[in-house]
Amino acid sequence: MTSHQSAQTMKPATAAKKLGVYLEATPAEFQEGVVSRTELNALQADPPEWLLELRRNGPHPRPVVAAKLGISISGLARGGITDALTTEQIDALKRDLPEWLQKERATQAEVRKEAARIKERNVARGDQGGQAGS
């Protein structure tokens, strides 16, 4: 048997997710083609202007929106945010700080606090929770 290896490719949706951008906002040629691992690495190492612009101004996919607001993706849904948002829209939410966002940030803070407590407890017990090297 020969070890002929073909280039690993991915769907545009997968590549957009790895790049942290909203697929529908990417150029048509990106949406319609396949992306090789080499092309993805090149986009990450030396992003073209369209990618820089999307990362700067959006629209951003929900995971990025949630991270920028400091809440979970589920929290976005509970707050009625189901679509991608631009940086301007995210900044407006941060300024206006609606009640649902305040509540979700508090919930997220509690989740982080509990995760830290559990981690400390496991370290004290000598149990790394299956995470080698942590």
Side-chain angles (χ1 to χ4, degrees):
M1 251 198 312
T2 60
S3 62
H4 176 47
Q5 190 174 0
S6 62
Q8 180 184 8
T9 60
M10 61 194 83
K11 294 177 183 175
T14 303
K17 186 175 182 179
K18 289 180 180 288
L19 292 169
V21 295
Y22 186 56
L23 177 62
E24 286 76 8
T26 60
E29 55 274 7
F30 181 87
Q31 293 179 39
E32 296 164 1
V34 294
V35 181
S36 72
R37 172 63 64 188
T38 304
E39 291 169 326
L40 179 70
N41 290 341
L43 286 170
Q44 289 172 325
D46 186 22
E49 186 55 39
W50 65 265
L51 182 54
L52 293 172
E53 181 65 22
L54 277 179
R55 287 179 172 169
R56 188 172 29 250
N57 297 316
H60 302 287
R62 288 180 311 136
V64 173
V65 173
K68 286 179 178 275
L69 291 173
I71 62 174
S72 67
I73 296 171
S74 299
L76 276 180
R78 287 189 293 269
I81 307 293
T82 56
D83 295 325
L85 296 180
T86 63
T87 299
E88 187 176 309
Q89 291 169 314
I90 293 168
D91 290 344
L93 280 171
K94 286 179 177 179
R95 271 192 315 275
D96 299 343
L97 211 56
E99 187 176 329
W100 69 265
L101 181 54
Q102 293 174 42
K103 181 180 175 191
E104 291 302 331
R105 282 181 165 178
T107 300
Q108 192 67 17
E110 286 299 316
V111 167
R112 287 187 187 116
K113 190 173 161 183
E114 179 64 8
R117 186 192 67 79
I118 291 169
K119 184 177 180 180
E120 284 179 22
R121 183 197 68 197
N122 290 344
V123 168
R125 289 181 178 173
D127 175 17
Q128 294 292 323
Q131 295 179 356
S134 290

